[in-house]
Amino acid sequence: MDVKIKVTLNFKVSDTSLEDALAEFDEITVAGLIHEILDKSVACDEISVNVDEGPNTLEEFDKLNA
């Protein structure tokens, strides 16, 4: 039997840590990064990640710090 779980996740990360994580992988987004972490931690059949607030890309992050 499959179980669907929906959560809201809020987290705070330092500027340099976020920038380093996004820069390490070419064109990855925060949503993509969270997806990869969950997929490697738990064998999920389907993962959907949405960023409702805050930067999702390195470009969006750079605009906030400009």
Side-chain angles (χ1 to χ4, degrees):
M1 177 175 102
D2 291 342
V3 176
K4 182 177 180 179
I5 300 169
K6 184 176 181 178
V7 300
T8 298
L9 171 68
N10 293 300
F11 64 95
K12 184 177 181 180
V13 63
S14 71
D15 289 354
T16 55
S17 294
L18 178 60
E19 187 173 24
D20 290 347
L22 292 175
E24 184 175 341
F25 302 99
D26 189 37
E27 300 296 321
I28 197 163
T29 63
V30 171
L33 187 62
I34 299 299
H35 182 280
E36 291 299 317
I37 292 168
L38 289 172
D39 195 35
K40 291 196 182 334
S41 299
V42 181
C44 296
D45 293 329
E46 182 181 335
I47 301 172
S48 175
V49 179
N50 296 312
V51 174
D52 297 323
E53 292 181 31
N56 190 35
T57 64
L58 186 57
E59 290 79 18
E60 291 173 2
F61 173 79
D62 288 340
K63 286 180 185 176
L64 290 177
N65 292 322

